[in-house]
Amino acid sequence: MKTSIFYKFRAYFRSSSRWFWDTPERALEDAYEAVLKIKAIEDTYFGGSKVDFTVGQFSDSEVVYFKRELKNNLNAAKIRLSEFNLSHSIISDSVKKLGQGEDKSLLNSQDRSAMTLEKLRFIDEILRRYSRKSQQSQALISIPKPPNQVVSKTPINDNAVKPPASPYPNIETVANQETIVDKSSFLPRSILGTLSRVRNELDPRAEEELIKNFRVSKFKTVISLRFLLLMILIPLLTQQITKNFVIGPAIDNLKNQGRIEIFLNTEMEEEAFVDLERYERKLHFQHLTGRIPELTDEEMEERLEERAVEIQREYRDRSADSIKNIFADLFSFMAFCLVVVTSKREIEVVKSFLDDVVYGLSDSAKAFIIILFTDMFVGFHSPHGWEVILEGISRHLGLPESREFIFLFIATFPVILDTVFKYWIFRYLNRISPSAVATYRNMNE
């Protein structure tokens, strides 16, 4: 049964891996199909030219239909092309960093590369026809060009693949954006924000910048939430899969052979002795209260032996589970480090996203969150919470619960954490939002 489950999981993992590595090809194929639909409309109703409703006689219903089809296919092609660029960049970086790919023969195939270039050239050709129209439709009013703008007429190289400019931002653009901390100055943030808002409202290109900033913010939010979710799910799934399907069967086999120690430390042994002694006193109590008849020495010894066997089985399972947790947590930590190492651009996006979220809160909200976290982790009642956490970690890994280490940790780590909080408040928050610091001091008094 376990073998069949393992094979099913391996097959599911392979199919998921194949789906991930096929993302660029799948996105490009969807974009190609979208522009093919546009090309079919052009060839069928407009003689192979650009869709133009001034040419020919079309009813209002037909015009609405063509506009809807053109808009849907253009948006689908642009979105899927952006997905192709992003996924192709991520997979290319992963292949370079790991030194291997899911299928090197596919990645290095010249025929497939030539087909990909041909599809990109065709998509670029169709989207270029409607690029100006799509840009105008994205704004609420028409945006005039600057008078001194000179359009350079350079010949287009047919051999070079130039994907159309996507309305959605690139992950590198978002990652390289200046964060709120980087834009801090000696002037209060509220004054700088007011001056910047007035300047932006007077700018004739304010609407274009507003739409661009909205797209960047939306793209940043999607990337950040997806990356944070992956940082949580990948280590958890790795821990559970390793424990139940990789390390678990081997440890269970050793346990069944009796090669796993009953007690990993003296604390577990003492707990087992206390359980056996408590059971013996329970039997005496039940006899004194008349719930069971008086037991002879042989019957008492027999019941104690049965209970001792149960305790032995229970603590052997507990020791085996602790060994599983050690290896599973190690693999989970390695998976977490792999995600962090291979996602440097995503981390920059997450940092920018967290800056916007934290520094975008009101002053009272900032003060409330700071007080909540400081009181929880470095406050008066925090030592009890740290003690429970450390004891739980010790039991999880089967380590002895050293009271000296726990007390030393509680005496040092919360102090270091409190110093870090105070330094962050003094170094960053005091410059960016001094009113939030004043609110925090008033609430904390």
Side-chain angles (χ1 to χ4, degrees):
M1 183 65 181
K2 291 183 178 180
T3 305
S4 62
I5 295 176
F6 174 74
Y7 282 124
K8 289 180 181 179
F9 170 76
R10 187 169 63 177
Y12 175 75
F13 178 78
R14 287 181 177 178
S15 62
S16 301
S17 178
R18 172 63 62 183
W19 180 88
F20 171 75
W21 290 99
D22 290 343
T23 300
E25 183 178 357
R26 185 172 58 255
L28 180 61
E29 190 65 27
D30 292 342
Y32 185 69
E33 291 180 359
V35 296
L36 281 179
K37 294 179 181 178
I38 299 176
K39 183 63 176 175
I41 295 175
E42 294 177 349
D43 295 340
T44 305
Y45 301 99
F46 298 91
S49 302
K50 177 182 176 181
V51 175
D52 188 2
F53 302 109
T54 60
V55 179
Q57 299 294 330
F58 298 101
S59 64
D60 294 339
S61 300
E62 290 175 335
V63 171
V64 171
Y65 170 77
F66 286 134
K67 285 184 178 180
R68 183 173 63 250
E69 288 295 317
L70 180 62
K71 180 180 179 181
N72 293 339
N73 290 316
L74 283 175
N75 292 335
K78 292 177 182 178
I79 293 174
R80 301 301 284 175
L81 186 61
S82 299
E83 182 181 355
F84 167 78
N85 294 330
L86 178 60
S87 59
H88 185 269
S89 175
I90 294 175
I91 290 179
S92 299
D93 292 342
S94 301
V95 171
K96 291 179 182 179
K97 293 177 181 178
L98 298 178
Q100 59 183 1
E102 179 69 13
D103 194 349
K104 293 182 179 181
S105 62
L106 294 179
L107 294 175
N108 298 326
S109 174
Q110 295 182 356
D111 296 338
R112 186 171 294 275
S113 298
M115 186 181 300
T116 300
L117 295 177
E118 186 66 27
K119 290 181 179 180
L120 286 173
R121 187 178 295 110
F122 180 72
I123 295 172
D124 187 19
E125 178 184 354
I126 297 297
L127 292 180
R128 191 182 296 115
R129 300 181 186 179
Y130 304 95
S131 60
R132 182 178 180 182
K133 181 178 179 181
S134 61
Q135 290 176 1
Q136 291 177 354
S137 63
Q138 291 164 2
L140 299 179
I141 58 175
S142 59
I143 303 173
K145 293 184 178 180
N148 296 329
Q149 184 178 4
V150 179
V151 180
S152 59
K153 298 183 179 179
T154 57
I156 300 176
N157 187 5
D158 294 336
N159 297 324
V161 180
K162 297 181 180 180
S166 173
Y168 293 89
N170 194 320
I171 188 172
E172 295 182 354
T173 305
V174 179
N176 295 328
Q177 269 197 328
E178 191 177 21
T179 60
I180 297 178
V181 178
D182 299 330
K183 295 186 289 186
S184 60
S185 178
F186 62 92
L187 291 177
R189 184 185 169 198
S190 58
I191 297 178
L192 292 177
T194 303
L195 295 177
S196 178
R197 185 168 62 253
V198 173
R199 183 188 60 187
N200 292 335
E201 290 176 353
L202 296 177
D203 192 350
R205 295 174 297 178
E207 186 176 359
E208 183 180 3
E209 290 294 327
L210 180 63
I211 297 174
K212 179 181 178 181
N213 292 334
F214 172 76
R215 289 182 181 141
V216 170
S217 178
K218 180 180 178 181
F219 187 78
K220 186 191 303 183
T221 303
V222 172
I223 292 295
S224 301
L225 294 180
R226 183 174 60 186
F227 179 68
L228 292 176
L229 188 63
L230 288 177
M231 289 184 65
I232 297 173
L233 290 180
I234 290 179
L236 287 178
L237 291 177
T238 303
Q239 200 269 351
Q240 292 297 320
I241 293 171
T242 306
K243 180 179 178 180
N244 296 322
F245 301 102
V246 181
I247 302 298
I251 299 298
D252 291 337
N253 188 22
L254 295 176
K255 182 187 68 174
N256 296 331
Q257 296 177 3
R259 301 174 63 179
I260 299 293
E261 293 291 336
I262 302 175
F263 308 110
L264 293 181
N265 52 66
T266 56
E267 282 78 7
M268 295 177 64
E269 188 175 5
E270 292 177 359
E271 289 180 8
F273 294 160
V274 171
D275 290 343
L276 186 61
E277 184 180 358
R278 185 183 296 112
Y279 179 76
E280 183 179 3
R281 288 185 294 178
K282 179 182 178 181
L283 292 177
H284 284 293
F285 177 78
Q286 290 179 349
H287 165 65
L288 293 176
T289 56
R291 299 175 59 184
I292 60 174
E294 183 179 0
L295 299 176
T296 62
D297 294 340
E298 294 179 357
E299 292 176 345
M300 178 66 72
E301 187 70 20
E302 183 179 355
R303 291 204 176 187
L304 290 178
E305 288 179 0
E306 293 176 357
R307 179 57 182 167
V309 172
E310 293 178 0
I311 292 176
Q312 177 185 4
R313 187 183 304 110
E314 177 184 347
Y315 278 85
R316 192 185 294 275
D317 293 340
R318 180 175 164 184
S319 299
D321 190 67
S322 299
I323 296 175
K324 294 178 187 178
N325 291 332
I326 293 175
F327 287 99
D329 292 347
L330 180 61
F331 279 98
S332 177
F333 179 74
M334 293 172 60
F336 178 80
C337 293
L338 182 63
V339 172
V340 173
V341 170
T342 58
S343 305
K344 293 183 179 180
R345 292 177 301 175
E346 286 80 359
I347 293 176
E348 294 297 328
V349 176
V350 171
K351 288 170 59 178
S352 178
F353 172 75
L354 293 179
D355 281 346
D356 295 341
V357 172
V358 173
Y359 294 106
L361 297 173
S362 62
D363 297 336
S364 57
K366 293 176 188 175
F368 171 78
I369 293 176
I370 293 173
I371 293 175
L372 178 64
F373 276 89
T374 53
D375 288 350
M376 184 180 298
F377 294 103
V378 298
F380 177 75
H381 299 286
S382 62
H384 303 288
W386 287 113
E387 186 174 357
V388 173
I389 292 174
L390 293 176
E391 290 179 355
I393 294 175
S394 300
R395 289 179 175 272
H396 178 76
L397 301 177
L399 301 175
E401 299 176 8
S402 175
R403 308 302 297 177
E404 292 80 6
F405 171 77
I406 293 177
F407 292 151
L408 180 62
F409 182 89
I410 293 174
T412 55
F413 184 75
V415 177
I416 298 174
L417 200 60
D418 183 48
T419 305
V420 172
F421 268 115
K422 291 180 179 178
Y423 177 78
W424 174 74
I425 293 173
F426 172 77
R427 181 68 175 83
Y428 297 102
L429 190 62
N430 199 29
R431 289 192 307 165
I432 297 173
S433 183
S435 57
V437 177
T439 306
Y440 162 72
R441 291 174 179 174
N442 292 331
M443 292 177 63
N444 205 23
E445 290 179 354

